[in-house]
Amino acid sequence: MAIFEGAGVALITPMNEDLSVNYNKLEEIIEEQIAGGTDAIIACGTTGEASTLTVEEHLDAIKRTIEIVNKRIPVVAGTGSNSTETAVEFSKEAEKYGADGVLVVSPYYNKATQNGLIKHFTSIAEGIDIPVILYNIPGRTGVNIEPETIAYLVNNVENIVGVKEASGNFSNAIKTLRLCPQIDMYSGNDDQVVALMSIGAKGVISVLSNVAPRQTHEMCKAVLEGDIFKARKMQIEALDVINNLFAEVNPIPVKAAMNLQGKNVGPLRLPLTPMEKAHEEVLVKAMKEYGIL
């Protein structure tokens, strides 16, 4: 059984003005997500600024998230690293804290070969008993996890069960589903949720859910219930907001959007910088038209 079906939020990490992690605000936004119908919390991924968190902050944010959620919905911990040893240790700690699964990005910068990816992901999975979701995002990592590699891992490593597919390559997504139809695939792109779910994906790991949890949940629910016309309409209605949430590198726009909503999630850590005013003005317009501002 999948860790979750529907809309999982790729949760931001709120900061205080001094750039420390704001754990009080973390609890507040998690409660808002659960109240909004979100089907799972994904902690400390790209959207959670994991790359600029210290080791202690990263693990503490995962632990606190699991404690706050308290088994009400699944929590998937972002534990990826370009160091296999680090990813193994992070994953072991997440399991110890009670995570329902881990999301593991392909190694960035060192750009492993497909054989290296197999050894990397296998080492992580063999170090834990909870499910592993691979994260394929070549635009950030510089390497694509090929369908054959994903299929090998899913077919040969018991607890590698899924993939967050953010390559935007539908042909590869379809090939992956043909090679391992049992895989739990999640869209990693908010503008492609309905399209990927229509070919067999279980849902989305979503940036949009940070600002529109109910809408994202309902869109996924419509597909799961077979109402493709409703889902398609919702996907199209959300398009301008989604495009503006990626007008600059994630999570710059989504944090700006949440602050515009009055959620006061704080600043970004360098090298991320505040959203440019011209982009923010267009984002405001899109959010107003979508009804979330």
Side-chain angles (χ1 to χ4, degrees):
M1 183 178 291
I3 300 172
F4 74 94
E5 291 188 344
V9 61
L11 198 70
I12 65 101
T13 299
M15 303 286 181
N16 294 303
E17 288 305 314
D18 65 359
L19 296 179
S20 60
V21 177
N22 186 339
Y23 290 107
N24 290 332
K25 182 61 65 172
L26 180 66
E27 180 171 4
E28 185 180 312
I29 62 175
I30 288 172
E31 293 298 339
E32 288 176 354
Q33 287 294 320
I34 294 173
T38 291
D39 299 291
I41 303 286
I42 292 77
C44 294
T46 305
T47 312
E49 296 181 75
S51 58
T52 57
L53 297 176
T54 67
V55 170
E56 293 76 14
E57 288 171 332
H58 191 143
L59 294 176
D60 198 34
I62 290 171
K63 184 178 182 182
R64 294 286 288 273
T65 298
I66 292 166
E67 291 171 347
I68 293 163
V69 173
N70 194 25
K71 298 296 181 184
R72 288 176 287 174
I73 58 175
V75 175
V76 178
T79 57
S81 172
N82 62 343
S83 161
T84 305
E85 183 179 359
T86 300
V88 169
E89 291 306 312
F90 277 13
S91 299
K92 286 180 176 178
E93 287 299 307
E95 180 178 34
K96 187 191 305 180
Y97 300 151
D100 296 281
V102 295
L103 177 67
V104 185
V105 71
S106 54
Y108 38 87
Y109 189 74
N110 40 19
K111 296 175 64 176
T113 64
Q114 296 301 304
N115 186 51
L117 292 175
I118 288 171
K119 292 182 181 300
H120 175 78
F121 290 122
T122 300
S123 296
I124 295 163
E126 288 180 343
I128 57 177
D129 293 321
I130 57 176
V132 176
I133 300 173
L134 312 175
Y135 183 9
N136 187 32
I137 183 163
R140 286 223 185 221
T141 63
V143 62
N144 188 59
I145 314 174
E146 298 295 338
E148 293 82 0
T149 300
I150 296 171
Y152 177 87
L153 289 162
V154 172
N155 290 326
N156 289 279
V157 185
E158 185 177 4
N159 59 327
I160 295 181
V161 301
V163 62
K164 177 183 177 183
E165 180 52 68
S167 70
N169 188 325
F170 276 90
S171 296
N172 276 1
I174 292 169
K175 189 174 184 180
T176 299
L177 287 163
R178 181 174 67 81
L179 293 172
C180 49
Q182 76 274 30
I183 194 171
D184 299 331
M185 182 177 287
Y186 300 96
S187 176
N189 296 317
D190 281 308
D191 61 345
Q192 299 173 356
V193 179
V194 174
L196 267 182
M197 290 186 73
S198 75
I199 62 169
K202 297 288 179 70
V204 61
I205 295 176
S206 170
V207 174
L208 176 65
S209 283
N210 282 282
V211 293
R214 178 62 62 186
Q215 293 90 329
T216 313
H217 165 78
E218 290 295 334
M219 178 170 60
C220 292
K221 182 183 177 188
V223 181
L224 293 169
E225 292 179 347
D227 193 346
I228 196 69
F229 295 102
K230 177 182 177 180
R232 182 178 66 184
K233 182 174 182 289
M234 295 186 75
Q235 178 78 86
I236 292 169
E237 288 173 346
L239 185 61
D240 282 350
V241 169
I242 292 166
N243 287 343
N244 282 286
L245 287 176
F246 293 91
E248 295 181 26
V249 67
N250 180 46
I252 290 173
V254 72
K255 268 198 157 177
M258 294 178 77
N259 285 328
L260 287 164
Q261 288 179 319
K263 297 186 187 299
N264 300 318
V265 296
L268 303 136
R269 287 186 177 177
L270 288 170
L272 300 182
T273 52
M275 193 174 194
E276 294 179 16
K277 282 298 177 186
H279 290 156
E280 186 176 294
E281 288 171 4
V282 181
L283 174 62
V284 167
K285 182 176 182 290
M287 290 173 69
K288 286 180 177 177
E289 289 176 353
Y290 189 53
I292 58 172
L293 186 64

